[in-house]
């Protein structure tokens, strides 16, 4: 699949919650059923036949984000999505553009090793950088277990359960 581990990169945390979650045929059928046609340029158009451009917000000074753009834009275009990469620095991304809702896709990437604190800040209801829009009490409880335990197996299990919850 396109993204088998969801929002994590640590092998011990990557279960099968997102395995097979992306079905391009089912996605295309859902858009077609909703009246979205392909335009002459090979990209999806909205039901009024207006071109649909996905605005992807990227922190231009972040090397990891550049790697994601280089990897995902061709994949997304192959699925029929016209991507506009909007680059600005971190303060613009978080303080201005995200807050204004002036984006369709925003992916936060860090160069450092993934850790539970970063996972918590990104996905907990009160997370400082919760750009995913996820807010769920059961998910918060699982993240709490993962952030409070010192047992690696228990932490991996809690993160795995949290990923399943995200899929649900």
């Amino acid at each position: 699949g396109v993204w088998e581990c969801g929002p994590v990169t640590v092998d011990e945390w990557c279960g099968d919650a997102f395995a097979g979650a992306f079905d391009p045929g089912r996605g295309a059928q859902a858009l077609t059923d909703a009246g979205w046609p392909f335009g002459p340029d090979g990209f999806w158009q909205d039901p009024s036949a207006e071109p649909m451009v996905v605005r992807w917000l990227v922190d231009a000074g972040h090397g990891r984000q550049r790697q994601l753009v280089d990897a995902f834009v061709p994949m997304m275009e192959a699925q029929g999505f016209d991507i506009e990469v909007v680059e600005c620095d971190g303060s613009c991304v978080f303080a201005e553009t995200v807050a204004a809702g002036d984006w369709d896709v925003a992916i936060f990437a860090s160069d450092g090793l993934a850790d539970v604190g970063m996972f918590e800040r990104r996905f907990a209801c009160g997370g400082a950088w919760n750009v995913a829009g996820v807010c769920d009490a059961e998910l918060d409880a699982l993240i709490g277990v993962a952030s409070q335990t010192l047992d690696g197996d228990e932490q991996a299990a809690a993160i795995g359960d949290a990923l399943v919850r995200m899929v649900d």
Side-chain angles (χ1 to χ4, degrees):
V2 172
W3 213 347
E4 295 293 322
C5 287
V8 299
T9 57
V10 178
D11 288 340
E12 292 80 15
W13 296 355
C14 181
D16 60 359
F18 285 86
F22 178 70
D23 179 345
R26 194 173 73 192
Q29 188 62 53
L31 287 170
T32 301
D33 290 349
W36 290 66
F38 265 117
D41 57 1
F43 294 117
W44 290 104
Q45 296 179 334
D46 73 17
S48 70
E50 286 295 315
M52 193 266 305
V53 177
V54 177
R55 290 176 46 86
W56 184 359
L57 188 57
V58 174
D59 182 344
H62 203 286
R64 178 87 169 151
Q65 292 237 343
R66 174 53 43 205
Q67 290 173 334
L68 289 170
V69 166
D70 292 345
F72 285 115
V73 167
M75 257 192 306
M76 294 165 80
E77 288 176 341
Q79 298 302 319
F81 295 99
D82 189 5
I83 308 300
E84 175 189 359
V85 176
V86 179
E87 296 186 2
C88 60
D89 67 18
S91 63
C92 165
V93 169
F94 291 106
E96 299 167 23
T97 313
V98 167
D102 190 20
W103 54 281
D104 298 305
V105 176
I107 297 177
F108 180 83
S110 65
D111 287 328
L113 295 173
D115 63 32
V116 176
M118 214 39 132
F119 191 83
E120 182 174 32
R121 287 190 296 276
R122 291 179 190 161
F123 300 109
C125 288
W129 302 333
N130 187 339
V131 296
V134 175
C135 185
D136 176 78
E138 186 176 330
L139 178 62
D140 274 7
L142 292 165
I143 293 172
V145 168
S147 67
Q148 294 172 15
T149 184
L150 298 177
D151 181 292
D153 291 337
E154 184 179 12
Q155 184 182 70
I159 295 289
D161 290 345
L163 293 173
V164 169
R165 183 68 188 162
M166 289 172 136
V167 170
D168 290 346

